[in-house]
Amino acid sequence: MTTAINHADPAVDDVPLESLTDEELAFLGGPGVHVVTPYFDERGMSAGTPDLEPLVRTAYRGLLARGIVDPPATDDRPTGPLGDDPAALDLQIRSDVATTVTLRTASSFVVVARTTERAQDFWYAHLNHDVVLIEEVSGDGIHRFALSHTARLAERLIAATIHPDAADGEGDSFVLPVEAAADPTPPVELLERLGAAFVRADLVVRAVGDTSPEVLGLYSGPAGCWLVSSGRPGAGRDIVARPLPAEELRTIVAQQIAPVVEQHLALACQVPA
């Protein structure tokens, strides 16, 4: 099976890809990817530990049964906690899944830790020139993938981080000092306002070479929109929580990713067709 996206047409719909589990990705991709693994974390496991081996071996059998990988040409079988490199086992990985594994190792990516009324999950965008791989990770360690166009990333990110019925925020801003001597407890009024948000998202945009990206807290819903920011880690700036019109919050999200989007679209123009 081959899955493709029309690179030349940003208006094309997103292309859904195969969903995979923590265990399956551990076998296919190995350790080192920056994405969370909720199923492993809940059980106190981590990549490379022996207690992970039974889960990954079972995942390997599931991948075979679903036709995602073909059996090795020899009698070799996965060995070690994460199994050997699939290439070393002479495995054939289905093309759409092989593409997913490759694209999610991008060095530029967007991370969203998101809490809604119903669940907590994670949303990622892996930028690869004019193609972006979107990855949504549920609390049970299911990773759902789709291919989109980098030019549409702002639209996708706004939909992922801001409630569709978000109203304009009202009230005064709050400044939370970072000095060690200051009381770190936010005012009750601020906690109530932020707690009324239907969608709460921490947004990080990681560009190539950026070792200390800024973290933005986005709070939105029918009760209003708030932005919580403190600049880059280690900057020593106070944390500021301020109410914003919903449209301004959407604009800030788009501006946050604009530089990395422009960088990757420019790179795409330099790649021979």
Side-chain angles (χ1 to χ4, degrees):
M1 172 181 172
T2 301
T3 302
I5 187 169
N6 184 350
H7 293 207
D9 186 5
V12 71
D13 289 338
D14 292 353
V15 179
L17 300 174
E18 185 80 37
S19 295
L20 300 166
T21 66
D22 282 354
E23 309 95 288
E24 290 168 340
L25 285 166
F27 176 76
L28 292 169
V33 178
H34 48 260
V35 178
V36 297
T37 53
Y39 184 76
F40 289 164
D41 295 344
E42 183 180 344
R43 286 153 182 78
M45 299 178 176
S46 60
T49 56
D51 55 356
L52 200 60
E53 183 174 355
L55 290 177
V56 176
R57 286 181 175 274
T58 301
Y60 169 67
R61 287 169 49 81
L63 292 169
L64 286 174
R66 290 157 62 196
I68 293 175
V69 297
D70 291 335
T74 67
D75 290 334
D76 293 340
R77 292 295 184 268
T79 59
L82 288 177
D84 291 332
D85 183 346
L89 294 171
D90 197 23
L91 292 175
Q92 295 297 315
I93 303 175
R94 204 174 69 196
S95 60
D96 61 318
V97 175
T99 297
T100 296
V101 172
T102 299
L103 292 180
R104 73 195 295 263
T105 61
S107 54
S108 294
F109 52 91
V110 178
V111 183
V112 176
R114 181 172 58 184
T115 302
T116 67
E117 297 175 287
R118 292 178 292 182
Q120 181 179 23
D121 64 1
F122 299 86
W123 188 97
Y124 295 84
H126 311 275
L127 288 91
N128 295 265
H129 294 184
D130 58 343
V131 173
V132 59
L133 177 71
I134 295 176
E135 177 174 0
E136 296 190 51
V137 188
S138 60
D140 55 359
I142 305 296
H143 301 245
R144 295 173 175 84
F145 296 95
L147 279 180
S148 188
H149 199 287
T150 300
R152 302 180 71 180
L153 181 54
E155 172 190 346
R156 294 290 177 265
L157 182 58
I158 288 170
T161 56
I162 300 178
H163 193 275
D165 297 324
D168 295 345
E170 298 179 350
D172 298 325
S173 298
F174 293 84
V175 178
L176 308 177
V178 298
E179 291 87 353
D183 184 357
T185 306
V188 173
E189 181 183 354
L190 176 60
L191 293 176
E192 290 176 348
R193 289 180 179 271
L194 298 184
F198 283 12
V199 177
R200 300 181 288 279
D202 290 328
L203 168 63
V204 176
V205 179
R206 185 70 174 266
V208 176
D210 190 352
T211 58
S212 59
E214 182 179 10
V215 181
L216 293 181
L218 313 172
Y219 297 77
S220 61
C225 291
W226 284 73
L227 175 69
V228 179
S229 61
S230 59
R232 293 177 176 271
R237 292 171 50 185
D238 293 337
I239 298 172
V240 179
R242 56 193 176 104
L244 290 176
E247 193 56 37
E248 184 176 347
L249 188 61
R250 295 186 182 98
T251 299
I252 288 174
V253 170
Q255 291 174 340
Q256 193 73 4
I257 63 167
V260 71
V261 165
E262 292 172 1
Q263 178 190 42
H264 277 265
L265 291 178
L267 289 171
C269 293
Q270 299 172 15
V271 177

